[in-house]
Amino acid sequence: VNRKILSLVFVRESTKILLGFKKRGFGQGRWNGFGGKVEQGETIEEGAIRELQEEAGVLSHDLSKIGLLEFEFVGEPTILQVHVFTTTSYIGLPTESDEMKPQWFEVDRVPFDEMWPDDSLWFPLMLKGAKFQGYFLFHGHHNILKYNLEEVERF
Ligand SMILES: CN1CCN(c2cc(NC3CC3)nc(N)n2)CC1
């Protein structure tokens, strides 16, 4: 079993959250936070900052680690290990990239039916300010066969 380390960043503004519509590649056609592969030679947080800049055109240096999610797919050896961050302090105007089209959403109007199915399970923990850890077993890209999800005190 090998693990692929990925970042995922959510930018918050009072009652709003910044999501991006994935225009191509993995997760295409779904809204999500910003993130991607963590490269060799960078920390996970540095990778998260880099991807946020590349995908949304905003720069933040004050990310808070809020979640750790592992995703396994039936029949596939690679486990995705997603490190979730949030920030309220950033500079720059969210800008469309070739990967992502950013848009602000009211936190009570998050388009879960156009997002990864796990999001509706852990978003409530993120939105209430909790830290969380979870494991999800997927069959394909639409069905969660089983999962566990728990709040944690700190990372
Ligand atoms: C670059 N990454 C890709 C993985 N990712 C995921 C994954 C995910 N579920 C997993 C079944 C796929 N759910 C959210 N919300 N994000 C974050 C961004």
Side-chain angles (χ1 to χ4, degrees):
V1 166
N2 64 316
R3 277 178 170 69
K4 191 171 181 184
I5 314 296
L6 300 164
S7 62
L8 182 60
V9 181
F10 292 94
V11 180
R12 298 290 303 273
E13 277 281 358
S14 68
T15 63
K16 294 187 194 302
I17 187 166
L18 186 66
L19 300 176
F21 186 79
K22 191 78 177 352
K23 295 159 62 176
R24 63 178 65 164
F26 191 77
Q28 177 175 351
R30 286 176 159 162
W31 295 92
N32 204 350
F34 303 90
K37 238 170 73 54
V38 177
E39 307 295 349
Q40 284 162 358
E42 67 182 3
T43 67
I44 296 169
E45 186 169 353
E46 286 165 348
I49 289 166
R50 176 180 52 74
E51 288 285 352
L52 180 64
Q53 167 82 39
E54 286 174 7
E55 292 190 340
V58 304
L59 179 62
S60 178
H61 278 297
D62 176 27
L63 300 184
S64 301
K65 174 79 178 286
I66 58 166
L68 177 61
L69 300 170
E70 291 209 324
F71 300 102
E72 192 164 7
F73 296 88
V74 172
E76 290 183 28
T78 303
I79 290 181
L80 305 183
Q81 185 180 82
V82 179
H83 296 253
V84 188
F85 298 88
T86 190
T87 185
T88 56
S89 75
Y90 66 94
I91 47 178
L93 194 67
T95 309
E96 182 166 355
S97 63
D98 58 359
E99 287 275 323
M100 291 287 241
K101 182 176 168 50
Q103 185 176 311
W104 289 103
F105 291 83
E106 290 294 331
V107 291
D108 59 0
R109 314 258 303 268
V110 171
F112 289 114
D113 52 346
E114 292 183 86
M115 298 169 76
W116 284 104
D118 50 286
D119 293 15
S120 53
L121 298 167
W122 55 265
F123 253 63
L125 300 181
M126 171 170 67
L127 296 177
K128 76 176 187 179
K131 292 184 175 60
F132 52 91
Q133 189 159 332
Y135 165 83
F136 299 79
L137 178 61
F138 269 76
H139 182 263
H141 287 190
H142 296 272
N143 295 305
I144 296 171
L145 294 179
K146 65 176 174 182
Y147 76 97
N148 41 62
L149 180 60
E150 59 182 343
E151 293 190 34
V152 297
E153 290 301 310
R154 69 189 61 74
F155 278 105

